[in-house]
Amino acid sequence: MHFLCSSQGLAEGQSRAFSVDGIELFGVRRQGQVHLYHNRCPHRGIPLNWAEDEFLDDSASLIHCAHHGALFLIESGECVAGPCEGRQLQALGCHEDSQGIWLKAPAARADGGR
Ligand code: FES
């Protein structure tokens, strides 16, 4: 597993970018649960964010792509509006314990697609 940050480093309703072994990913905490996704929009295959750590829409209830406005469910990564509607962000395995938030290895498999 790869350590990402302490639990306090990703507060409720916040999003945060991480980079592990050259893999770009981001995390969102919602209702206490951390969700990790590959930072790649299914529309154009590019990172979703322009600003560091900004992955959510104004209401902080959906993941937002800064490029063409696609919106994704935080819990599943499903795109519910925008040019890639019906497609998915690629979820990554997450583990949280008393030390903090971990990405379940191996991160490189994230490039394999699912
Ligand atoms: S690249 Fe994300 S909506 Fe177009």
Side-chain angles (χ1 to χ4, degrees):
M1 293 204 292
H2 297 260
F3 183 73
L4 296 177
C5 68
S6 67
S7 291
Q8 298 91 317
L10 183 59
E12 176 67 27
Q14 299 289 305
S15 59
R16 180 166 169 174
F18 301 98
S19 180
V20 175
D21 293 344
I23 307 280
E24 302 300 319
L25 57 141
F26 67 94
V28 181
R29 187 188 294 278
R30 181 166 162 87
Q31 295 179 338
Q33 187 76 32
V34 177
H35 303 272
L36 294 180
Y37 293 102
H38 206 78
N39 186 5
R40 191 170 58 201
C41 182
H43 178 217
R44 289 279 167 83
I46 53 179
L48 287 89
N49 58 320
W50 281 336
E52 177 93 13
D53 298 335
E54 289 187 13
F55 294 90
L56 298 176
D57 72 342
D58 291 342
S59 67
S61 61
L62 291 164
I63 295 166
H64 172 248
C65 179
H67 300 281
H68 312 102
L71 295 170
F72 304 86
L73 298 179
I74 292 173
E75 288 79 6
S76 67
E78 181 186 352
C79 181
V80 292
C84 43
E85 190 171 340
R87 297 180 67 188
Q88 297 268 343
L89 292 172
Q90 188 181 358
L92 297 168
C94 181
H95 174 74
E96 186 169 19
D97 61 19
S98 57
Q99 289 175 277
I101 300 166
W102 302 77
L103 170 68
K104 286 187 182 170
R109 284 180 60 189
D111 270 350
R114 273 201 292 202

